Amino acid sequence: MGKARTDVHNFNAGPAALPLEALEQAREELLNYGGSGMSVMEMSHRSAAYEAIHNRAEELLRELLAIPEEYSVLFLQGGASLQFAMVPMNFLAPGRTAAYVLTGSWAEKAYKEAQTVGSVRVSASTKDDNFRRIPSLDEVRTEPGDAYLHITSNETIGGIQWQVFPDTGAVPLVADMSSDILSRPLDVRQFGLIYAGAQKNLGPSGVTVVIVRTDWLEQAATNIPAILRYSTHAKNRSLYNTPPTFAIYTLGLVLQWVQRQGGVAAMQRRSEEKAALLYGVIDESGGFYRGYAEPASRSRMNVTFGLVTPELEKAFLEEAKQAGFVGLNGHRSVGGCRASIYNAVSLDDCRALAEFMRDFQRRRG
Ligand SMILES: *Cc1c(COP(=O)(O)O)cnc(C)c1O
């Protein structure tokens, strides 16, 4: 028997839940967008109707994140994983070194990819603590000549999140914000470049947002293929080649939804409330549930935990699945349990999960 949407609480890690209102609007407009007589998917990316969609998405993102004028906003493809390569290809010049903070699987992937491009160095790492924490700000070292410092604002797999970002002075700070962008207000001026695959907090997979200081991208490498240069995409306002038009359109609908909810400040309040519900159950369980992250580094997007025995953990995941809780298995590389509670996951979904967890403990604890 097929399930209805209302049968399911979607805690997927990515691609992840989208706001129902955004999906309903996409459905409404699917066959005939705005009286154009066709779907957004069928339109030229050079048409006036698509250009308006494209520009509106950029404007809304600028408004929601208060992105200053001196930054370019790009809609690219290839996921955050392509950014692992594009960042060093553009900004890691020969003779320079880029510094990376290792906080988990995604940071390590970014670091390894950069190693294939040029000279890199570990600025700080919490690997010895099994990536259960974000380093303190004084563990993070930069050298005046560093090409940039790369961090991962939220480690989606381990469930740890930077609470305060390091001040890197003249060294540009680069952040992979794939799994927490738009979940809290930001001071974009702290960063040289921010990138985020859309499929966690912004929209469907297929589009990656890059926010980059325009004067920095103008100093980037020119001896790399045009398609890999940020400057190519900036000059062409992300219309150098055919962009993922439907993904950008859907991202725009998600941004409109965020705006109606009250913007990123409202997203932050909700995230804190949702996370507090789940961490509350973990902390009050007397060790039946065990949070993976050190409390000071806990993510408000990915709540990672285990149960007191492997057998109970297996039973928990199985029963949760039966009860309609989807996506609670930890990443295949680490196991355990993970509830991803991105912007589109409702407070009610989190209340239902918290209640299920308490009930499971009452029955099996
Ligand atoms: C999901 C994720 C990625 C990988 O994104 P792709 O779009 O699959 O390349 C990279 N970094 C972080 C922090 C992520 O959460």
Side-chain angles (χ1 to χ4, degrees):
M1 263 285 277
K3 292 188 184 84
R5 280 189 77 86
T6 46
D7 296 335
V8 165
H9 299 286
N10 186 348
F11 292 95
N12 278 332
L18 289 169
L20 180 61
E21 283 175 35
L23 293 175
E24 283 172 341
Q25 193 175 338
R27 177 179 63 185
E28 200 65 33
E29 298 172 337
L30 187 67
L31 301 185
N32 186 354
Y33 174 79
S36 64
M38 64 186 79
S39 170
V40 173
M41 281 183 271
E42 302 172 296
M43 262 175 206
S44 167
H45 60 295
R46 309 283 176 201
S47 65
Y50 177 73
E51 282 234 351
I53 291 169
H54 192 89
N55 294 343
R56 182 78 188 116
E58 176 180 336
E59 277 163 25
L60 254 178
L61 192 66
R62 283 185 178 277
E63 203 178 309
L64 287 167
L65 285 177
I67 301 172
E69 238 175 80
E70 62 269 27
Y71 284 74
S72 300
V73 174
L74 311 176
F75 296 127
L76 307 183
Q77 298 180 65
S81 299
L82 181 60
Q83 296 310 304
F84 295 167
M86 264 177 84
V87 166
M89 288 175 93
N90 279 269
F91 295 119
L92 181 46
R96 306 283 297 277
T97 296
Y100 280 71
V101 180
L102 304 188
T103 43
S105 318
W106 291 119
E108 281 193 313
K109 280 207 169 130
Y111 174 69
K112 285 199 184 117
E113 198 72 330
Q115 274 179 325
T116 71
V117 176
S119 163
V120 287
R121 164 171 76 72
V122 175
S123 161
S125 169
T126 56
K127 192 169 188 140
D128 288 347
D129 299 315
N130 290 317
F131 294 133
R132 287 170 195 265
R133 66 177 185 94
I134 296 292
S136 67
L137 292 185
D138 31 284
E139 287 172 76
V140 178
R141 300 242 157 65
T142 51
E143 306 280 340
D146 284 345
Y148 57 84
L149 176 80
H150 181 281
I151 63 167
T152 309
S153 61
N154 182 69
E155 282 284 359
T156 322
I157 294 174
I160 58 175
Q161 187 175 27
W162 289 77
Q163 317 294 330
V164 186
F165 298 112
D167 176 359
T168 50
V171 174
L173 179 59
V174 173
D176 175 0
M177 290 198 187
S178 294
S179 52
D180 70 350
I181 193 166
L182 221 62
S183 70
R184 53 179 166 177
L186 274 183
D187 178 5
V188 173
R189 285 201 173 88
Q190 283 185 282
F191 300 88
L193 186 148
I194 293 167
Y195 62 90
Q199 67 271 24
K200 279 107 187 192
N201 251 342
L202 292 174
S205 61
V207 59
T208 304
V209 167
V210 174
I211 302 164
V212 53
R213 224 177 59 210
T214 308
D215 65 346
W216 193 36
L217 78 81
E218 281 161 0
Q219 301 160 31
T222 51
N223 60 345
I224 57 174
I227 189 75
L228 297 174
R229 285 179 227 151
Y230 290 114
S231 59
T232 302
H233 298 288
K235 259 187 244 131
N236 293 282
R237 297 182 29 261
S238 310
L239 288 158
Y240 168 70
N241 66 321
T242 316
T245 52
F246 197 74
I248 293 169
Y249 157 76
T250 313
L251 176 143
L253 297 181
V254 173
L255 298 181
Q256 289 169 36
W257 174 82
V258 171
Q259 192 181 45
R260 288 196 301 273
Q261 303 303 300
V264 287
M267 292 297 111
Q268 181 179 39
R269 281 194 299 277
R270 268 177 43 145
S271 297
E272 283 169 1
E273 206 176 334
K274 291 186 296 182
L277 277 172
L278 301 183
Y279 288 121
V281 174
I282 291 168
D283 291 342
E284 287 155 22
S285 72
F288 183 77
Y289 296 108
R290 300 166 170 209
Y292 183 76
E294 284 189 9
S297 297
R298 281 175 167 174
S299 167
R300 280 173 233 98
M301 295 281 110
N302 308 96
V303 178
T304 47
F305 59 99
L307 275 81
V308 63
T309 67
E311 295 70 35
L312 274 171
E313 196 166 288
K314 199 162 161 256
F316 172 80
L317 288 169
E318 193 48 49
E319 278 194 37
K321 198 167 148 195
Q322 293 303 324
F325 297 95
V326 174
L328 292 180
N329 287 71
H331 190 266
R332 56 197 150 74
S333 62
V334 295
C337 309
R338 168 176 57 171
S340 297
I341 51 173
Y342 303 123
N343 286 348
V345 176
S346 70
L347 195 57
D348 281 346
D349 287 320
C350 294
R351 282 200 191 104
L353 179 57
E355 190 41 51
F356 176 82
M357 288 171 72
R358 276 198 213 93
D359 182 58
F360 184 83
Q361 183 177 7
R362 271 195 293 273
R363 288 184 287 109
R364 309 292 291 268

